[in-house]
Amino acid sequence: MIDSERILLRMLEETDLEARVKWFNDPDIRQYLVSDYPMGLARTKKWFQSTLTDNSKFNLSIVEKSTGRLIGMTGLLNIDAKNAHAQFYITIGEPEFRGKGLPDEVIPAVLEYGFTYLRLNKIYLWTLLNNARARTVYERNGFKQEAILRDFLYCRGKFNDIIQHCVLQRDFNEDND
């Protein structure tokens, strides 16, 4: 378990999956996802079972510390030990918790875990062009834009450009010394 002032990060549990489905099917969230949805609970349960033995994924639930309420999810995907990199993601699923600065607690905690315990050299993320607000949050937390990948992902019926940001371990360590 990883904690900060207002939140706890714990491993994703099967009891969290209904909320995950609800969030991923929410149009306010779905418009920013870099994959096709909607998704159903049965498919999500099958996905969850496959992740239990998959070392390339580190899925966490974001829980409000004071109440124990599940409010979002975060983690690392595509963990590549040989090349020492992984893809970061975060979703604040419950609307009343958005805009409260919680990613500023979550992001450093996940980066610290990735760089310290997984010994990663690079953590990257992707955003669609329509997600400028998220890019502001990521850049405030040390991510730097490194590429625009044109027509990189096919989702929602068309090819989409994505913006890739990253944090290198050396930059993270310098910023946190």
Side-chain angles (χ1 to χ4, degrees):
M1 193 171 305
I2 303 168
D3 71 339
S4 69
E5 181 183 338
R6 297 177 290 168
I7 55 100
L8 296 171
L9 303 178
R10 60 162 171 76
M11 296 304 293
L12 180 68
E13 298 173 358
E14 190 165 356
T15 56
D16 301 333
L17 299 182
E18 285 188 31
R20 180 181 172 91
V21 169
K22 178 183 89 172
W23 298 333
F24 274 45
N25 290 317
D26 178 338
D28 290 336
I29 293 173
R30 191 173 60 231
Q31 69 179 320
Y32 301 118
L33 298 178
V34 293
S35 55
D36 269 330
Y37 290 90
M39 69 167 48
L41 185 58
R43 183 175 168 189
T44 300
K45 286 182 177 181
K46 185 176 179 182
W47 163 85
F48 176 73
Q49 290 302 316
S50 74
T51 67
L52 296 176
T53 58
D54 186 346
N55 292 331
S56 72
K57 294 176 177 60
F58 180 63
N59 294 298
L60 298 167
S61 295
I62 305 169
V63 176
E64 183 183 34
K65 199 176 204 178
S66 63
T67 65
R69 182 175 174 197
L70 178 67
I71 60 172
M73 60 197 139
T74 189
L76 299 169
L77 306 172
N78 304 315
I79 299 169
D80 181 334
K82 177 184 177 198
N83 295 300
H85 59 72
Q87 180 181 358
F88 173 81
Y89 76 93
I90 182 174
T91 300
I92 303 298
E94 294 300 321
E96 63 270 28
F97 290 91
R98 297 179 198 148
K100 307 239 187 256
L102 293 175
D104 295 334
E105 294 181 39
V106 173
I107 294 170
V110 175
L111 293 178
E112 176 74 29
Y113 182 88
F115 292 132
T116 302
Y117 296 101
L118 298 179
R119 303 205 179 278
L120 298 173
N121 180 58
K122 178 179 183 172
I123 298 175
Y124 64 94
L125 60 85
W126 295 338
T127 60
L128 294 171
L129 294 178
N130 67 342
N131 204 353
R133 182 176 177 191
R135 284 190 295 279
T136 299
V137 172
Y138 298 138
E139 290 170 4
R140 183 172 65 233
N141 282 280
F143 283 89
K144 294 180 173 54
Q145 182 177 323
E146 67 176 354
I148 297 176
L149 305 173
R150 297 177 58 218
D151 282 354
F152 190 76
L153 289 175
Y154 187 84
C155 61
R156 287 179 280 301
K158 65 178 186 167
F159 285 99
N160 289 270
D161 296 349
I162 60 167
I163 300 175
Q164 181 165 306
H165 282 70
C166 79
V167 177
L168 299 177
Q169 180 194 33
R170 65 178 175 259
D171 297 333
F172 180 79
N173 289 342
E174 284 177 13
D175 291 344
N176 291 291
D177 282 342

